[in-house]
Amino acid sequence: MGVELENSNCTNLVFTYGTLKRGFANHVLLQDLMRTGDAVFKGTYRTLQKYPLVCGPYRVPFLLNMAGSGLRVTGELYAVSARGLDRLDELEGTSCGHYERRPIHLTPAGEEELLPCAAQAYYAHKSYEEEMWKRNGRKGFGVYSEKEAKGYVKRKDRPQNLSFLDHIRIFISPPSD
């Protein structure tokens, strides 16, 4: 629907809005997938609808599946193979309740008059998205840039005695007196 796929193995369109983008900590995974023919960069895209994009613990970005709130989010679109999608799912913790891969509609950034395309994005898991929105003062941003990423802590540098979900629960917990 508006996006041509050069590599016939790369049939899954994935919208990245945070650390998987070029210049950020987890982009090395997409670089590896591009080297093996399991990913193709398609361009810079924006969400058709507004969504909250917020930071959680360790300045990790989260897209919240709350269409109509927040801002139109700018990110990068990639076509990935089934193997590439499995590796992205693993990074995003879809099997452990960190993120959920769900549909999203996009338009090329700066060319909103073109037909929208359907892709997939990694949203914060529904079990904590409302609390994450509240914790961020119901304010999000339209792009995860160096400013928003300042203070990001790589997974290997985070305390290992707690799971990522534990870190999220602590982050969204109301402050104790």
Side-chain angles (χ1 to χ4, degrees):
M1 203 173 161
V3 177
E4 291 183 31
L5 305 175
E6 293 105 38
N7 183 334
S8 60
N9 292 328
C10 297
T11 57
N12 304 286
L13 292 173
V14 177
F15 178 65
T16 65
Y17 54 82
T19 62
L20 283 166
K21 294 188 316 179
R22 294 171 295 175
F24 292 91
N26 289 323
H27 186 67
V28 65
L29 172 57
L30 280 167
Q31 287 175 315
D32 182 46
L33 292 175
M34 287 187 277
R35 268 193 297 276
T36 60
D38 290 298
V40 176
F41 175 72
K42 304 308 295 177
T44 302
Y45 279 70
R46 286 181 74 199
T47 59
L48 196 57
Q49 293 184 286
K50 295 177 180 179
Y51 287 93
L53 176 59
V54 299
C55 282
Y58 307 108
R59 301 301 295 166
V60 173
F62 292 90
L63 186 65
L64 307 180
N65 191 13
M66 303 166 84
S69 298
L71 302 167
R72 290 185 63 203
V73 176
T74 301
E76 297 174 353
L77 185 65
Y78 291 85
V80 300
S81 68
R83 187 176 90 81
L85 199 57
D86 287 345
R87 291 197 49 206
L88 290 171
D89 282 353
E90 182 181 340
L91 174 80
E92 301 293 5
T94 58
S95 65
C96 13
H98 300 171
Y99 290 86
E100 298 177 298
R101 182 167 36 86
R102 301 183 47 85
I104 196 163
H105 290 90
L106 311 166
T107 58
E111 300 179 51
E112 276 75 11
E113 71 282 356
L114 295 179
L115 285 176
C117 73
Q120 298 176 75
Y122 291 94
Y123 294 92
H125 193 274
K126 64 182 170 244
S127 65
Y128 61 82
E129 72 180 353
E130 180 61 38
E131 289 80 11
M132 187 70 73
W133 186 222
K134 285 181 197 168
R135 175 67 167 77
N136 278 273
R138 298 188 185 279
K139 289 187 167 72
F141 37 90
V143 63
Y144 185 75
S145 68
E146 288 181 24
K147 176 185 166 200
E148 288 75 27
K150 188 171 176 59
Y152 174 78
V153 178
K154 292 180 180 179
R155 187 175 297 177
K156 67 179 181 57
D157 297 326
R158 298 175 196 155
Q160 300 297 308
N161 60 324
L162 297 173
S163 72
F164 188 51
L165 283 178
D166 290 333
H167 291 290
I168 291 169
R169 287 185 196 103
I170 292 166
F171 180 81
I172 61 176
S173 296
S176 56
D177 296 331

